[in-house]
Amino acid sequence: IDREELKDPKGKGKVLVNGPLCDAINRVSKKNKTQDQQQEYPTSVKRKDLIEKFFNKMEKGHALVEMPGSRIVKIGRGAPPSVDIEVENRQGNKRKFLTRIRGMEEYGIDGKSLSNDVSHRFACSASVESNPVGRPVLKKNCVEIVFQGRLDVELTALLTGDEKLSTHGGAKNSDYNLPKSVINVSLRKGIAAKKK
């Protein structure tokens, strides 16, 4: 703003809006534009409003960082990939559950080692499926793990490294440390949420 001499001498805290800056913050997409639509744009705006408009025009992105060392593994557009945990009833029984998890390979977690770790920590059986029947298709070199029992809270606690989420002792001393925002837990029809 200082280099381009865009400070408005008439208003304190205001910025002059020149042609390129006006295009950057007020651009209308071709879909939303009509041919006979002419708009008047302001010649100056508050600095705070300018920053807010500029950030709203930016596209979201994410970076996967390996810790310790802060080594960037992947940089991508849009929201970060999600790890999906799904709980469903076993066939014909309303009191027994299956927990399915997929998408952990995006974060460098091997499916077979995770299944072994979880089955030891929570004393449950686990199976690794590379081509699940009757389920959405997996990406190449990705697997879906099926655990016996309802482990949605325990898996979330284990993957995030937050021991306070679960009362089960198996979630302690986790090395995974995924952000909680990337874990997507879904409960199938007929399954009630756990009481806290």
Side-chain angles (χ1 to χ4, degrees):
I1 294 173
D2 293 333
R3 187 181 70 218
E4 296 292 327
E5 299 175 2
L6 295 176
K7 282 187 178 178
D8 190 357
K10 297 175 188 173
K12 187 177 179 184
K14 288 198 164 193
V15 177
L16 291 172
V17 179
N18 62 4
L21 186 58
C22 182
D23 289 344
I25 63 172
N26 296 315
R27 184 179 300 138
V28 180
S29 68
K30 291 179 181 179
K31 291 179 184 177
N32 299 336
K33 196 179 212 179
T34 59
Q35 292 179 354
D36 57 334
Q37 183 180 16
Q38 291 292 329
Q39 288 187 344
E40 288 290 322
Y41 297 115
T43 56
S44 66
V45 293
K46 290 182 182 176
R47 185 181 287 236
K48 184 179 176 183
D49 294 339
L50 175 71
I51 293 169
E52 189 175 306
K53 281 185 175 184
F54 193 72
F55 277 129
N56 287 340
K57 290 287 183 179
M58 292 180 139
E59 191 174 323
K60 291 184 179 180
H62 67 274
L64 300 180
V65 181
E66 187 177 90
M67 300 299 281
S70 299
R71 186 176 73 86
I72 296 175
V73 178
K74 178 185 171 188
I75 295 177
R77 285 181 158 177
S82 66
V83 175
D84 298 320
I85 300 173
E86 184 179 302
V87 180
E88 63 182 43
N89 286 325
R90 273 188 20 200
Q91 292 178 343
N93 197 332
K94 291 190 175 188
R95 290 186 295 155
K96 297 197 177 194
F97 303 100
L98 291 177
T99 304
R100 298 176 184 272
I101 182 170
R102 57 170 51 198
M104 59 275 167
E105 290 88 2
E106 297 283 343
Y107 296 95
I109 299 171
D110 180 46
K112 290 184 180 179
S113 63
L114 177 67
S115 69
N116 288 336
D117 189 23
V118 171
S119 62
H120 287 294
R121 285 177 184 260
F122 301 115
C124 64
S125 70
S127 64
V128 179
E129 299 176 358
S130 57
N131 294 324
V133 179
R135 312 261 312 134
V137 178
L138 294 166
K139 292 181 182 176
K140 188 176 182 182
N141 298 327
C142 292
V143 294
E144 180 178 79
I145 307 172
V146 181
F147 299 106
Q148 182 180 3
R150 182 170 180 176
L151 299 173
D152 54 328
V153 176
E154 289 81 4
L155 283 172
T156 303
L158 179 69
L159 291 174
T160 57
D162 188 359
E163 301 168 4
K164 297 174 187 171
L165 293 176
S166 174
T167 57
H168 197 289
K172 293 182 179 177
N173 303 325
S174 170
D175 297 328
Y176 299 110
N177 297 322
L178 297 181
K180 191 174 180 185
S181 60
V182 302
I183 297 177
N184 180 24
V185 177
S186 61
L187 305 174
R188 281 282 182 95
K189 184 179 177 182
I191 299 176
K194 279 189 174 179
K195 295 177 183 175
K196 291 185 179 183

